[in-house]
Amino acid sequence: ASQPISFIPAEKQGRTVLGLLVDENSNKLYAAFWHFRSFNQKIPAQLKSFDLKTGKLLNVFNYPKGAIGNDLTIDGKGNIYSTCSFTHQIFRLKAGGNNLEVWSNDSTLSAGWIKGFSLNGIVWNGKNSIYVTRTDNDGFYRITINSDGSAGVVQQISVSEKLKNLGYDGIA
């Protein structure tokens, strides 16, 4: 289409979408919703999936209390990964799964955190690793995906001085 088409109506709760992911293989759009004004209260943060062609809501997956979904990526097996900027965790929705699970809770991802958004951008490298960024400290990390699908070693990657103080957001 030459013009954008809105096919997902605004929510009555007034939540914001932080992360979007298109999975053309399953014909789904994933969106991470949260309500920044009532965060951690009555309205849970959620990952929702929609039919990519019709916009029909297909599934809703709640994040645990205190967690939100920020950025999203998908691996070659169809597992969805989501960063949480406040709990410093990476959540995973297994392909065909019914709930979000903590995939990585490594303390390396929260080291030195004081306040504000931490984990943010996330991308799968097409092989056996996930890369994530931190907004608060310009951190860039590689997490190996073990052969059983669990999170492996977290390695901080040094970046050039030219790439510092950018407040990393999404990566692709």
Side-chain angles (χ1 to χ4, degrees):
S2 60
Q3 296 294 319
I5 298 169
S6 176
F7 64 86
I8 300 173
E11 291 192 326
K12 292 177 185 175
Q13 297 96 337
R15 289 191 286 187
T16 300
V17 173
L18 287 179
L20 290 172
L21 172 71
V22 172
D23 179 6
E24 294 184 55
N25 291 328
S26 68
N27 197 39
K28 293 179 184 175
L29 170 69
Y30 289 88
F33 288 80
W34 78 302
H35 195 292
F36 68 95
R37 289 193 179 141
S38 67
F39 174 63
N40 222 2
Q41 295 177 16
K42 296 179 182 178
I43 304 170
Q46 296 174 321
L47 176 64
K48 294 184 177 187
S49 66
F50 300 88
D51 183 281
L52 194 54
K53 292 185 178 167
T54 66
K56 178 183 175 187
L57 177 64
L58 300 173
N59 291 296
V60 177
F61 309 97
N62 288 334
Y63 286 91
K65 187 173 183 176
I68 65 166
N70 192 322
D71 200 8
L72 307 166
T73 195
I74 187 169
D75 69 17
K77 296 179 180 178
N79 299 306
I80 307 292
Y81 299 85
S82 172
T83 53
C84 177
S85 297
F86 300 126
T87 65
H88 323 289
Q89 298 169 313
I90 299 172
F91 290 90
R92 177 177 64 180
L93 175 65
K94 287 185 178 179
N98 295 318
N99 61 330
L100 291 162
E101 62 184 11
V102 174
W103 180 71
S104 179
N105 193 26
D106 192 293
S107 62
T108 305
L109 298 173
S110 62
W113 180 79
I114 298 172
K115 66 177 183 174
F117 275 48
S118 67
L119 293 184
N120 203 325
I122 186 169
V123 68
W124 176 57
N125 75 343
K127 296 179 183 175
N128 64 348
S129 296
I130 296 286
Y131 289 86
V132 296
T133 61
R134 270 181 63 181
T135 300
D136 64 311
N137 72 352
D138 290 330
F140 188 51
Y141 304 85
R142 176 182 181 260
I143 307 165
T144 304
I145 302 172
N146 293 327
S147 59
D148 65 358
S150 65
V153 174
V154 176
Q155 174 189 10
Q156 185 166 5
I157 298 170
S158 296
V159 296
S160 162
E161 285 298 318
K162 293 179 182 179
L163 296 176
K164 292 192 175 181
N165 299 313
L166 297 176
Y168 295 135
D169 199 343
I171 56 176

